[in-house]
Amino acid sequence: MRKRIIFIPLLLLFFFSCKKSDTLTAPTENKQTENSITGDPLPSWNNGPLKEDIIAYVEKVTKKGSPDFIPTENRIATFDNDGTLWAEKPYVQELFAFYRVKKMVEANPSLAQKQPFKAVIEKDKSYFEKGGDKALIQLVGATHTGMTEDEFETSVNTFFKDAKYPGKNVPVKQIRYQPQLELLNYLRANGFKTYIVTGGTIEVVRAISQDFYGIPKDQVVGTSFKYKYDDAKNAVQREPALDHFNDKEGKPVGIQLHIGQRPVFACGNEGGAGDIAMLKYSQGNKYPSFQLLVNHNDSIREYSYQEKDNLSLSTAAKNKWHVVSIKDDWKKVFADK
């Protein structure tokens, strides 16, 4: 993700268009025990050096007696979410913010005359262009806070129940990357504990992490708001102030706070330079490590976009990280359901 508050660019949703997607089946499971997968563990990955390297790494670090063996308790794998596990054009967080605006205005029509609600309802992109980060923070604070955590979770669950992804007109669940679902399952089947480490807000991702990825709530690391305990309601209240921004250099900090150790396997994507620090942090592990960076270079099946300075791909080349070419390495891209 780009380093701006929670979701950038917000304005993509206003005039968003995208190309036709492909679909495929997406079996998932939450299997943390150490065993083996028979047959091809990564059927949606094209055969080639990258797929071979992933399998070779997993085999060498899980083989007892191997000099590269990693104890099960140290097999930590971290994955970014936006652009790494599902599509990010636009960010799902954007869709949820606009959903919240709609619901809040329906409940209180007078909000339609107040900012930032007015700009969203009228699709006034100039408001956010001029306001920059301040306007975005204002929108996030207005739509994501001022309620109990239970109330917020209910709102998130209701959103995901019927949400459609713009341009592709499919349920949000179908913008997950099938090859990555297989990779998550393959790692878990070999004793890895998989975490999502996202720049998105932690509670939004926690709402779907188990169902979408087989990852429990307590294995999600993300951007968080400040909370306070309301004794009268016996509930945790969300406050309109950020506690931790979990992007770029914030990701290793979030990993330390929530996990307490470096991952041996880390996967992110290029497009906003948000995952470089996490991959570098992983590479500093005392155990053999594996870094994977998704390159969005398939304009037909997904999207094609790069950073202006090419920083993520340049850093990957410098540090000898593995790079996924969606166009060349993924046989298919999106999940059916």
Side-chain angles (χ1 to χ4, degrees), residues 66-98:
S66 165
D68 296 315
F69 179 76
I70 300 176
T72 305
E73 62 270 21
N74 298 116
R75 295 178 201 168
I76 303 297
T78 57
F79 286 76
D80 171 55
N81 189 40
D82 297 310
T84 299
L85 294 178
W86 68 12
E88 64 177 359
K89 295 291 183 178
Y91 292 116
V92 173
Q93 190 93 40
E94 294 178 15
L95 306 182
F96 176 69
F98 289 126

Short mmCIF file of all heavy atoms in Angstrom, two decimals, residues 66-98:
data_model
loop_
_atom_site.label_atom_id
_atom_site.label_comp_id
_atom_site.label_asym_id
_atom_site.label_seq_id
_atom_site.Cartn_x
_atom_site.Cartn_y
_atom_site.Cartn_z
N SER A 66 18.04 -31.77 8.31
CA SER A 66 18.60 -30.85 7.33
C SER A 66 19.32 -29.71 8.05
O SER A 66 18.85 -29.23 9.10
CB SER A 66 17.49 -30.27 6.45
OG SER A 66 17.96 -29.14 5.73
N PRO A 67 20.45 -29.24 7.52
CA PRO A 67 21.14 -28.11 8.16
C PRO A 67 20.31 -26.83 8.12
O PRO A 67 20.59 -25.89 8.85
CB PRO A 67 22.42 -27.98 7.32
CG PRO A 67 22.10 -28.63 6.02
CD PRO A 67 21.17 -29.75 6.34
N ASP A 68 19.30 -26.80 7.25
CA ASP A 68 18.43 -25.63 7.12
C ASP A 68 17.11 -25.80 7.87
O ASP A 68 16.21 -24.96 7.73
CB ASP A 68 18.14 -25.36 5.64
CG ASP A 68 19.39 -24.99 4.87
OD1 ASP A 68 20.18 -24.16 5.37
OD2 ASP A 68 19.58 -25.51 3.75
N PHE A 69 16.99 -26.85 8.66
CA PHE A 69 15.73 -27.14 9.36
C PHE A 69 15.34 -25.99 10.29
O PHE A 69 16.15 -25.44 11.02
CB PHE A 69 15.87 -28.42 10.18
CG PHE A 69 14.63 -28.79 10.95
CD1 PHE A 69 13.54 -29.35 10.31
CD2 PHE A 69 14.57 -28.56 12.33
CE1 PHE A 69 12.39 -29.70 11.04
CE2 PHE A 69 13.43 -28.91 13.06
CZ PHE A 69 12.34 -29.48 12.40
N ILE A 70 14.05 -25.62 10.23
CA ILE A 70 13.51 -24.58 11.10
C ILE A 70 12.49 -25.21 12.03
O ILE A 70 11.53 -25.83 11.56
CB ILE A 70 12.83 -23.45 10.28
CG1 ILE A 70 13.82 -22.79 9.33
CG2 ILE A 70 12.22 -22.40 11.21
CD1 ILE A 70 13.21 -21.74 8.42
N PRO A 71 12.66 -25.08 13.33
CA PRO A 71 11.68 -25.63 14.28
C PRO A 71 10.29 -25.06 13.99
O PRO A 71 10.15 -23.91 13.56
CB PRO A 71 12.20 -25.17 15.64
CG PRO A 71 13.66 -24.94 15.42
CD PRO A 71 13.79 -24.43 14.02
N THR A 72 9.27 -25.86 14.24
CA THR A 72 7.90 -25.45 13.92
C THR A 72 7.54 -24.10 14.54
O THR A 72 6.91 -23.26 13.90
CB THR A 72 6.90 -26.51 14.40
OG1 THR A 72 7.26 -27.78 13.84
CG2 THR A 72 5.48 -26.18 13.96
N GLU A 73 7.97 -23.86 15.79
CA GLU A 73 7.60 -22.62 16.47
C GLU A 73 8.22 -21.38 15.82
O GLU A 73 7.80 -20.25 16.10
CB GLU A 73 7.98 -22.68 17.95
CG GLU A 73 9.47 -22.83 18.24
CD GLU A 73 9.92 -24.28 18.34
OE1 GLU A 73 9.22 -25.17 17.81
OE2 GLU A 73 10.98 -24.53 18.96
N ASN A 74 9.19 -21.58 14.97
CA ASN A 74 9.83 -20.45 14.29
C ASN A 74 9.41 -20.30 12.83
O ASN A 74 9.92 -19.43 12.12
CB ASN A 74 11.35 -20.59 14.36
CG ASN A 74 11.88 -20.57 15.79
OD1 ASN A 74 12.44 -21.54 16.27
ND2 ASN A 74 11.68 -19.46 16.49
N ARG A 75 8.50 -21.13 12.40
CA ARG A 75 8.02 -21.05 11.01
C ARG A 75 6.89 -20.03 10.92
O ARG A 75 5.71 -20.35 10.86
CB ARG A 75 7.56 -22.43 10.52
CG ARG A 75 8.67 -23.45 10.44
CD ARG A 75 8.16 -24.81 10.00
NE ARG A 75 9.10 -25.86 10.39
CZ ARG A 75 8.83 -27.15 10.34
NH1 ARG A 75 7.65 -27.58 9.90
NH2 ARG A 75 9.73 -28.03 10.74
N ILE A 76 7.28 -18.77 10.90
CA ILE A 76 6.33 -17.66 10.83
C ILE A 76 6.31 -17.11 9.41
O ILE A 76 7.36 -16.77 8.85
CB ILE A 76 6.71 -16.55 11.82
CG1 ILE A 76 6.78 -17.09 13.25
CG2 ILE A 76 5.75 -15.37 11.71
CD1 ILE A 76 5.47 -17.61 13.78
N ALA A 77 5.12 -17.02 8.82
CA ALA A 77 4.97 -16.47 7.48
C ALA A 77 4.03 -15.28 7.53
O ALA A 77 2.93 -15.37 8.08
CB ALA A 77 4.42 -17.54 6.53
N THR A 78 4.44 -14.15 6.96
CA THR A 78 3.61 -12.94 6.97
C THR A 78 3.27 -12.53 5.54
O THR A 78 4.14 -12.54 4.66
CB THR A 78 4.33 -11.78 7.68
OG1 THR A 78 5.60 -11.52 7.04
CG2 THR A 78 4.56 -12.11 9.15
N PHE A 79 2.03 -12.16 5.34
CA PHE A 79 1.54 -11.73 4.03
C PHE A 79 0.84 -10.38 4.15
O PHE A 79 -0.02 -10.20 5.01
CB PHE A 79 0.52 -12.74 3.48
CG PHE A 79 1.10 -14.04 2.99
CD1 PHE A 79 1.52 -15.00 3.90
CD2 PHE A 79 1.22 -14.29 1.63
CE1 PHE A 79 2.05 -16.21 3.45
CE2 PHE A 79 1.76 -15.49 1.18
CZ PHE A 79 2.17 -16.45 2.08
N ASP A 80 1.23 -9.46 3.30
CA ASP A 80 0.43 -8.25 3.12
C ASP A 80 -0.93 -8.69 2.55
O ASP A 80 -1.06 -9.80 2.02
CB ASP A 80 1.16 -7.31 2.15
CG ASP A 80 0.31 -6.14 1.73
OD1 ASP A 80 -0.20 -5.42 2.62
OD2 ASP A 80 0.13 -5.95 0.51
N ASN A 81 -1.92 -7.80 2.62
CA ASN A 81 -3.24 -8.16 2.10
C ASN A 81 -3.56 -7.47 0.78
O ASN A 81 -3.72 -8.12 -0.24
CB ASN A 81 -4.32 -7.83 3.15
CG ASN A 81 -5.68 -8.37 2.76
OD1 ASN A 81 -5.79 -9.48 2.24
ND2 ASN A 81 -6.72 -7.60 2.98
N ASP A 82 -3.65 -6.14 0.78
CA ASP A 82 -4.02 -5.40 -0.43
C ASP A 82 -2.96 -5.54 -1.52
O ASP A 82 -1.82 -5.14 -1.36
CB ASP A 82 -4.23 -3.92 -0.11
CG ASP A 82 -5.37 -3.70 0.85
OD1 ASP A 82 -6.46 -4.23 0.61
OD2 ASP A 82 -5.18 -2.98 1.87
N GLY A 83 -3.36 -6.13 -2.64
CA GLY A 83 -2.43 -6.32 -3.75
C GLY A 83 -1.56 -7.55 -3.60
O GLY A 83 -0.78 -7.86 -4.50
N THR A 84 -1.69 -8.26 -2.47
CA THR A 84 -0.90 -9.46 -2.22
C THR A 84 -1.78 -10.69 -2.08
O THR A 84 -1.50 -11.74 -2.66
CB THR A 84 -0.05 -9.30 -0.95
OG1 THR A 84 0.85 -8.19 -1.12
CG2 THR A 84 0.76 -10.55 -0.65
N LEU A 85 -2.87 -10.58 -1.32
CA LEU A 85 -3.82 -11.67 -1.18
C LEU A 85 -5.11 -11.42 -1.94
O LEU A 85 -5.80 -12.36 -2.31
CB LEU A 85 -4.14 -11.92 0.31
CG LEU A 85 -2.98 -12.41 1.18
CD1 LEU A 85 -3.43 -12.56 2.63
CD2 LEU A 85 -2.42 -13.73 0.65
N TRP A 86 -5.43 -10.14 -2.15
CA TRP A 86 -6.58 -9.79 -2.99
C TRP A 86 -6.27 -8.50 -3.74
O TRP A 86 -5.27 -7.83 -3.47
CB TRP A 86 -7.87 -9.69 -2.19
CG TRP A 86 -8.00 -8.56 -1.19
CD1 TRP A 86 -7.21 -7.44 -1.06
CD2 TRP A 86 -9.02 -8.43 -0.19
NE1 TRP A 86 -7.66 -6.65 -0.05
CE2 TRP A 86 -8.77 -7.21 0.50
CE3 TRP A 86 -10.12 -9.19 0.19
CZ2 TRP A 86 -9.58 -6.78 1.55
CZ3 TRP A 86 -10.92 -8.75 1.23
CH2 TRP A 86 -10.65 -7.55 1.90
N ALA A 87 -7.11 -8.16 -4.71
CA ALA A 87 -6.87 -6.99 -5.56
C ALA A 87 -7.00 -5.70 -4.76
O ALA A 87 -7.71 -5.64 -3.75
CB ALA A 87 -7.85 -7.00 -6.73
N GLU A 88 -6.35 -4.64 -5.25
CA GLU A 88 -6.35 -3.37 -4.54
C GLU A 88 -6.72 -2.18 -5.42
O GLU A 88 -6.41 -1.04 -5.10
CB GLU A 88 -4.98 -3.12 -3.90
CG GLU A 88 -3.85 -2.97 -4.90
CD GLU A 88 -2.50 -2.65 -4.24
OE1 GLU A 88 -2.45 -2.53 -3.00
OE2 GLU A 88 -1.52 -2.53 -4.97
N LYS A 89 -7.39 -2.44 -6.54
CA LYS A 89 -7.80 -1.34 -7.42
C LYS A 89 -9.32 -1.33 -7.59
O LYS A 89 -9.84 -1.87 -8.54
CB LYS A 89 -7.11 -1.48 -8.78
CG LYS A 89 -5.61 -1.33 -8.76
CD LYS A 89 -5.20 0.09 -8.45
CE LYS A 89 -3.70 0.27 -8.49
NZ LYS A 89 -3.32 1.67 -8.24
N PRO A 90 -10.09 -0.73 -6.70
CA PRO A 90 -9.68 0.10 -5.57
C PRO A 90 -9.50 -0.74 -4.32
O PRO A 90 -9.81 -1.93 -4.30
CB PRO A 90 -10.87 1.04 -5.40
CG PRO A 90 -12.05 0.17 -5.74
CD PRO A 90 -11.56 -0.70 -6.88
N TYR A 91 -9.03 -0.10 -3.25
CA TYR A 91 -8.91 -0.78 -1.98
C TYR A 91 -10.30 -1.12 -1.45
O TYR A 91 -11.23 -0.31 -1.52
CB TYR A 91 -8.19 0.10 -0.95
CG TYR A 91 -6.74 0.34 -1.25
CD1 TYR A 91 -6.26 1.62 -1.52
CD2 TYR A 91 -5.83 -0.72 -1.25
CE1 TYR A 91 -4.91 1.84 -1.79
CE2 TYR A 91 -4.49 -0.50 -1.52
CZ TYR A 91 -4.04 0.78 -1.79
OH TYR A 91 -2.72 0.99 -2.06
N VAL A 92 -10.45 -2.30 -0.88
CA VAL A 92 -11.72 -2.69 -0.27
C VAL A 92 -12.04 -1.74 0.88
O VAL A 92 -13.20 -1.44 1.16
CB VAL A 92 -11.66 -4.15 0.22
CG1 VAL A 92 -12.92 -4.50 1.01
CG2 VAL A 92 -11.51 -5.10 -0.97
N GLN A 93 -11.01 -1.21 1.53
CA GLN A 93 -11.22 -0.26 2.62
C GLN A 93 -11.97 0.98 2.12
O GLN A 93 -12.79 1.56 2.83
CB GLN A 93 -9.87 0.17 3.21
CG GLN A 93 -9.99 0.98 4.48
CD GLN A 93 -9.91 0.11 5.73
OE1 GLN A 93 -9.13 -0.82 5.78
NE2 GLN A 93 -10.71 0.42 6.73
N GLU A 94 -11.70 1.38 0.87
CA GLU A 94 -12.43 2.50 0.28
C GLU A 94 -13.91 2.17 0.17
O GLU A 94 -14.78 2.98 0.51
CB GLU A 94 -11.89 2.79 -1.12
CG GLU A 94 -10.49 3.30 -1.20
CD GLU A 94 -10.07 3.51 -2.66
OE1 GLU A 94 -10.96 3.52 -3.53
OE2 GLU A 94 -8.87 3.65 -2.92
N LEU A 95 -14.19 0.97 -0.33
CA LEU A 95 -15.56 0.56 -0.52
C LEU A 95 -16.31 0.56 0.81
O LEU A 95 -17.48 0.98 0.88
CB LEU A 95 -15.61 -0.84 -1.13
CG LEU A 95 -14.82 -1.06 -2.43
CD1 LEU A 95 -15.03 -2.49 -2.92
CD2 LEU A 95 -15.23 -0.06 -3.49
N PHE A 96 -15.64 0.10 1.86
CA PHE A 96 -16.28 0.07 3.17
C PHE A 96 -16.53 1.49 3.68
O PHE A 96 -17.60 1.77 4.27
CB PHE A 96 -15.42 -0.70 4.17
CG PHE A 96 -15.98 -0.68 5.57
CD1 PHE A 96 -17.16 -1.36 5.87
CD2 PHE A 96 -15.34 0.03 6.58
CE1 PHE A 96 -17.68 -1.33 7.15
CE2 PHE A 96 -15.87 0.06 7.86
CZ PHE A 96 -17.04 -0.63 8.15
N ALA A 97 -15.61 2.41 3.47
CA ALA A 97 -15.80 3.78 3.94
C ALA A 97 -17.00 4.42 3.26
O ALA A 97 -17.81 5.10 3.91
CB ALA A 97 -14.54 4.61 3.66
N PHE A 98 -17.14 4.19 1.97
CA PHE A 98 -18.29 4.75 1.25
C PHE A 98 -19.60 4.08 1.67
O PHE A 98 -20.65 4.72 1.72
CB PHE A 98 -18.08 4.65 -0.26
CG PHE A 98 -17.02 5.59 -0.76
CD1 PHE A 98 -15.96 5.12 -1.51
CD2 PHE A 98 -17.05 6.94 -0.47
CE1 PHE A 98 -14.97 5.98 -1.97
CE2 PHE A 98 -16.08 7.81 -0.91
CZ PHE A 98 -15.03 7.33 -1.67
#
